Amino acid sequence: MSFKIASSPHQHNQKSTSQIMLMVIMACLPGIAVQAALFGYGVLIQLLLAIITAWFSEAFVLRLRNKPVLPRLKDNSAMLTAVLLAIAIPPYAPWWIIVIGTAFAIIMVKQLYGGLGNNLFNPAMAAYVLLLISFPVQMTQWLPPLSLHSVTLTPLDAICSVFTQFSCSGFSLAQLQTSVDGITMATPLDTLRTDLSRGLTLDESWQSPVFFAFAGSGWLWVNLAYLAGGLVLIKQQVISWRIPVAVLASLFVLSAIAALAAPDTLAGPLFHLFSGGTMLAAFFIATDPVSAATTATGRLVYGALIGLLVFLIRNFGGYPDAYAFAILLANMAVPLIDYYTRPRTYGHRARSQTK
């Protein structure tokens, strides 16, 4: 009988790393389907490009390191990173955006630190931040939901738009961002930030067609789909409930207090919970078993910290969605969080009790 020491991720549900990663990808499918239905075929094209790039990047570095290629590719970790990055960027971003981002995530953030289990930061979010800082225009070109499109995009149009930035009919992305009533669209978080900077109140901003109910047109259903997938992962014990609950509870409480204090300029908790990438980040990204906190108490602290940072950056920072920055900053704090929340060793007695 031998005892094998291995790096994270560590699971207690008797499933292999490959199975765990595949289950997370499968849980993403409802959200991906809703995104594709609401925002077009570009979502699927970005996914395909990301997965191919991730496999080639992983194989290339493994060859350089003289490591077995096929067994490492079969753990599905590279594919999961590709999926999470692809669904986080605009569906019709230029093809080279997702190629650069995915290659950076796999080569620099994951493999440069030694591969799965050794990376300090979440690879998908590190790549997202790189792309957002380096290519801010391309990373903010979100199209309105299909119901608000002024032009109907076919699958062929989607391919043309991703690879040439023009549809097959000759429409540019700027033209495609225009809704049926001639208004240039942005995400609800972007729209709200811009309107408030112009001196408008929340009630005046809510009149924009980009908003629907309390979360924004399309984004409510996207977040509900990822919420459903996340709950399945918790039920299957693939992820711990502590991190997503702490993230959502922290964001809910802080935004509720802020909305009561400044109801004309700060949005309420329902808007923050069901707009942007909230549920995707809380259930699928913040719960990364390698870069997240590992102790039970530490996961609550880690999740609450992410919720706090998202609230601060969304309301007072320069990036409306904020989750990528919040998760990377929380990743930096993980060693400290784990150190101060590690459980007492069995049989240990405090020094004061031994005197």
Side-chain angles (χ1 to χ4, degrees):
M1 184 177 181
S2 61
F3 178 74
K4 181 181 179 182
I5 299 177
S7 63
S8 57
H10 303 296
Q11 297 289 341
H12 303 281
N13 54 14
Q14 306 301 315
K15 290 183 173 61
S16 66
T17 298
S18 175
Q19 291 173 317
I20 293 296
M21 298 296 174
L22 188 58
M23 290 176 70
V24 175
I25 294 172
M26 296 295 290
C28 285
L29 292 181
I32 293 172
V34 173
Q35 271 189 256
L38 292 173
F39 295 101
Y41 298 102
V43 176
L44 305 180
I45 298 171
Q46 300 290 352
L47 277 170
L48 182 60
L49 289 173
I51 292 172
I52 293 174
T53 303
W55 281 339
F56 273 98
S57 300
E58 185 105 321
F60 171 72
V61 178
L62 291 172
R63 284 284 188 182
L64 289 180
R65 297 176 59 202
N66 294 319
K67 300 289 185 180
V69 174
L70 195 56
R72 302 296 176 90
L73 288 180
K74 286 183 177 180
D75 67 16
N76 295 319
S77 61
M79 183 165 62
L80 177 58
T81 296
V83 169
L84 294 178
L85 180 60
I87 58 182
I89 72 170
Y92 294 98
W95 65 269
W96 47 266
I97 287 284
I98 191 62
V99 171
I100 291 173
T102 307
F104 177 82
I106 300 300
I107 297 173
M108 303 301 294
V109 187
K110 180 184 177 185
Q111 290 296 336
L112 189 63
Y113 285 92
L116 180 64
N118 299 296
N119 48 285
L120 302 178
F121 301 101
N122 183 288
M125 290 300 94
Y128 182 91
V129 167
L130 170 78
L131 296 173
L132 186 60
I133 293 174
S134 304
F135 313 106
V137 175
Q138 290 81 0
M139 286 294 289
T140 54
Q141 289 182 325
W142 283 87
L143 299 189
L146 295 179
S147 59
L148 299 177
H149 271 199
S150 58
V151 178
T152 301
L153 291 178
T154 65
L156 189 58
D157 284 322
I159 296 173
C160 291
S161 297
V162 170
F163 285 96
T164 69
Q165 296 297 278
F166 288 89
S167 70
C168 295
S169 304
F171 290 99
S172 67
L173 280 184
Q175 292 172 310
L176 295 176
Q177 281 184 289
T178 304
S179 66
V180 290
D181 56 3
I183 299 175
T184 300
M185 305 290 288
T187 65
L189 289 166
D190 281 317
T191 301
L192 182 62
R193 171 63 60 82
T194 302
D195 288 348
L196 292 177
S197 68
R198 292 167 50 207
L200 300 180
T201 65
L202 280 178
D203 288 337
E204 291 171 329
S205 184
W206 293 148
Q207 304 306 311
S208 171
V210 74
F211 292 104
F212 171 77
F214 49 78
S217 182
W219 291 99
L220 170 63
W221 305 113
V222 170
N223 277 279
L224 287 174
Y226 284 118
L227 171 61
L231 293 177
V232 171
L233 292 180
I234 292 177
K235 181 176 176 58
Q236 296 295 322
Q237 297 183 336
V238 174
I239 62 174
S240 168
W241 60 268
R242 291 176 175 84
I243 292 176
V245 167
V247 170
L248 299 178
S250 174
L251 183 58
F252 180 92
V253 171
L254 292 171
S255 55
I257 295 173
L260 290 175
D264 291 334
T265 57
L266 296 177
L270 292 181
F271 174 78
H272 282 288
L273 290 181
F274 292 98
S275 188
T278 301
M279 296 300 170
L280 173 64
F283 287 94
F284 294 90
I285 301 176
T287 54
D288 173 28
V290 177
S291 58
T294 57
T295 67
T297 303
R299 286 171 175 168
L300 294 173
V301 175
Y302 172 79
L305 176 60
I306 292 175
L308 169 64
L309 291 171
V310 168
F311 169 78
L312 293 175
I313 297 172
R314 278 186 176 181
N315 289 292
F316 308 108
Y319 296 94
D321 206 343
Y323 266 103
F325 291 95
I327 289 173
L328 291 184
L329 289 170
N331 288 163
M332 296 171 64
V334 162
L336 189 66
I337 293 173
D338 280 346
Y339 178 81
Y340 283 104
T341 59
R342 58 186 177 184
R344 179 173 295 179
T345 306
Y346 179 76
H348 170 80
R349 290 191 299 172
R351 180 176 298 179
S352 59
Q353 294 175 326
T354 62
K355 294 182 178 178

